Amino acid sequence: MATAMVEIPPSNHGIPGSKMLQHVDLPEITSMQAEPTDPQAVASAWLEGFNHLLTGHDQNIKALFLDASYWRDLLCTTWNFHTYYGSSKIMSVLKGSDQKCRVQLLDLDLSSDIKKPTLCPIDFHGSLQGVQAFLKVETKLGRGRGLVKLVQDARDGGKWKAFILFTTLEQLEGHEESINARRPTGVDHGSHPGRLNWQERRIVEANCEGSYEPTVLIIGAGQGGLTIAARLKQLNIATLIIDRNERIGDNWRNRYHQLVLHDSVWYDHMPYLNFPPNWPIFTPKDKLAEWFETYAKALELNVWTKTSLTSSTWDEGERRWTLTVKRQSNGREETRTLHPRHVIQATGHSGEPYFPSHIKGLDSFKGDRLVHSSQFTGPQPNTQGKKAVIVGCCNSGHDIAQDYYEHDYEVTMVQRSSTLVVSCENLIDVDMKGVYSESGPPIEDADILSMSTPNAVGARLKVDNTKEINRRDAPLLRGLQGAGFALDNGPEGAGLFAKYLHRGGGYYIDVGASQLIAEGKIKIKQGQEIERVNAHSLTFADGSELEADEIVFATGYQNMRETARKIFGDELADRVKDVWGFDDEGETRTMWRRTGHPGFWFFGGNLALCRFYSRLLALQIKALELGLMKYEID
């Protein structure tokens, strides 16, 4: 049980320090005299003008970009993540720095039908039409991909201008990933006396024997640790993952009995190795855990389980760590000292559990169980009529409540603030159809379509998506409200993903519990804080009392920074920045990029975010190792 007093964040409030996303007005709708008969010609003409800017030719930026336009760039213009707003700001990026912009050329990507320029809707209803084109990006350091969305400027005679430009670095020149045409041969033909075979080489590498020393040490063998390790391996960076669990995948395997992912298989693929075509749409936790083990073995990742970090020291001059770890291996304990130049904390985007230890009387409870949801493994057998109380109404709270109900408990959920609720089916059909779906594009292209939209613009566009989901879910939502369950639509009505990025929780993707609440089979105690815990009940601020044999606090998690404090101490934790929420440009704070402490990185998120951002973090580390990037310089 946690002991620190933690104030639980309200429903729609962001993580402390997080900025509110900029308000976005969509471009004015203009009546096109005729739809462009050749979207490729429109995109090509725009690219010609943009490339003139890159080569130093005089070009009116306002002829290329709307006044209220966005350029989202991930590592192409600088070694950071940026969303540049407005034509004036974009011009300053292209012309203002001493070294000028690192981007050298944009070209159309015509390698598949999905990538060719096409007329497409910009907003949910299709009222605003534009030309969308996938791009190939050339920079001074490497190559990347991108996307541009062009619309007609109603204030300038219907000229085609960029509303959104997106660029992302994908490879460094001369240091490309060891995949496809660059895959290893697997054998060195010829006579080589004393050479090791593949299995022997793997043992040396996996155990860090001889001169093998990891450049990067990753803490955590969940989706974050595995995906970033996979990316680093393909860039030939020696990497070791450590995890305190018995087996790879235990971070999922050891969670509550009925846990199934609420995201779909099409959204959740991992780098280099997609789920097979017979994989279920929603992945059970134990199946995912087994996949993690398979993934680590297939990609030859070096993982030490039953291993914990016991001491850490950072040498500012040498720019390297001295780490001591204890490892249980082959029935014995060994202590190893490692000297990586980078440590990645991949313990999940959530940190230590939020546990309301300030509530009076916690130690006086005489029931069968009082735990945080992270410690809940499943209902007790043969407990018909027992009373379970779940404090918290997000994904875990609902899943646990449903599990209790299905085991004949009398279940009450305590809802202290409003919750965003969407049905799983409608979320997929409205928010992901055509992108992350059975008939959607390849996952790399789907990610470009998804990630190209700046967060502020995405939040504005999702308002209409959320309204449509609510329309379809109306009977369910009315039933919830009738049961006394408080609902919200996320920050500024922008829905689930905006709420996830803004505060990391506060929502439920319904897979059955909402109907149980609407039918009164799971009861709701709403809007009252817990005053104290008694021997067999809870007393609330309004003086009411609720009997309980088991209490589960599904109250979420602290900032990842607090986990860093627990592992590395106050000096590091005070130096790094808060994680999650938004910075001034609407980019996610600190995660997947520099933290404020050289050689230390945070990495986490759902499987989709880990898949996408793992490449970007790996490129930053590779650039530092090559001397292409200076940690203190953007």
Side-chain angles (χ1 to χ4, degrees), residues 114 266 432-443 446:
I114 188 70
W266 308 294
M432 298 186 176
K433 189 173 183 179
V435 181
Y436 299 108
S437 60
E438 191 69 53
S439 59
I443 193 67

Side-chain angles (χ1 to χ4, degrees), residues 79-81 314 321 342-345 559-561 564 568 571-580 588-604 617 620 624 629 631-632:
W79 287 115
N80 213 332
F81 304 163
W314 169 252
W321 292 89
H342 305 270
V343 169
I344 300 173
Q345 181 183 314
N559 194 283
M560 212 173 173
R561 184 179 184 180
F568 295 96
E571 183 178 351
L572 180 141
D574 291 340
R575 186 171 176 180
V576 300
K577 307 166 190 172
D578 276 330
V579 188
W580 218 244
T588 302
R589 296 185 302 168
T590 311
M591 186 78 83
W592 318 305
R593 51 181 176 155
R594 284 169 285 184
T595 62
H597 189 298
F600 183 81
W601 310 84
F602 289 116
F603 193 85
L617 176 52
Q620 292 171 79
L624 283 166
M629 170 183 172
Y631 191 89
E632 292 79 10

Side-chain angles (χ1 to χ4, degrees), residues 128-147:
L128 179 63
Q129 294 285 315
V131 169
Q132 171 183 284
F134 279 73
L135 305 175
K136 295 185 288 187
V137 181
E138 296 285 340
T139 80
K140 295 177 181 179
L141 301 175
R143 292 170 294 280
R145 299 177 67 197
L147 190 110

Side-chain angles (χ1 to χ4, degrees), residues 45 169 237 271 341 434 464 547 570 607:
L169 190 66
I237 296 177
R341 288 191 288 275
D464 289 331
E547 292 183 2
D570 291 338
L607 277 93

Side-chain angles (χ1 to χ4, degrees), residues 402-441:
Q402 184 172 345
D403 199 4
Y404 269 129
Y405 172 79
E406 291 172 354
H407 284 79
D408 294 324
Y409 281 73
E410 294 181 19
V411 186
T412 302
M413 299 181 73
V414 177
Q415 186 190 34
R416 298 155 304 137
S417 56
S418 60
T419 307
L420 184 150
V421 176
V422 295
S423 67
C424 190
E425 296 78 11
N426 286 329
L427 176 67
I428 292 173
D429 195 49
V430 174
D431 254 11
M432 298 186 176
K433 189 173 183 179
V435 181
Y436 299 108
S437 60
E438 191 69 53
S439 59

Side-chain angles (χ1 to χ4, degrees), residues 360-367 370 532-537:
K360 299 174 185 177
L362 288 170
D363 293 335
S364 66
F365 186 65
K366 304 299 183 185
L370 189 155
R532 66 173 293 110
V533 175
N534 309 307
H536 297 283
S537 65

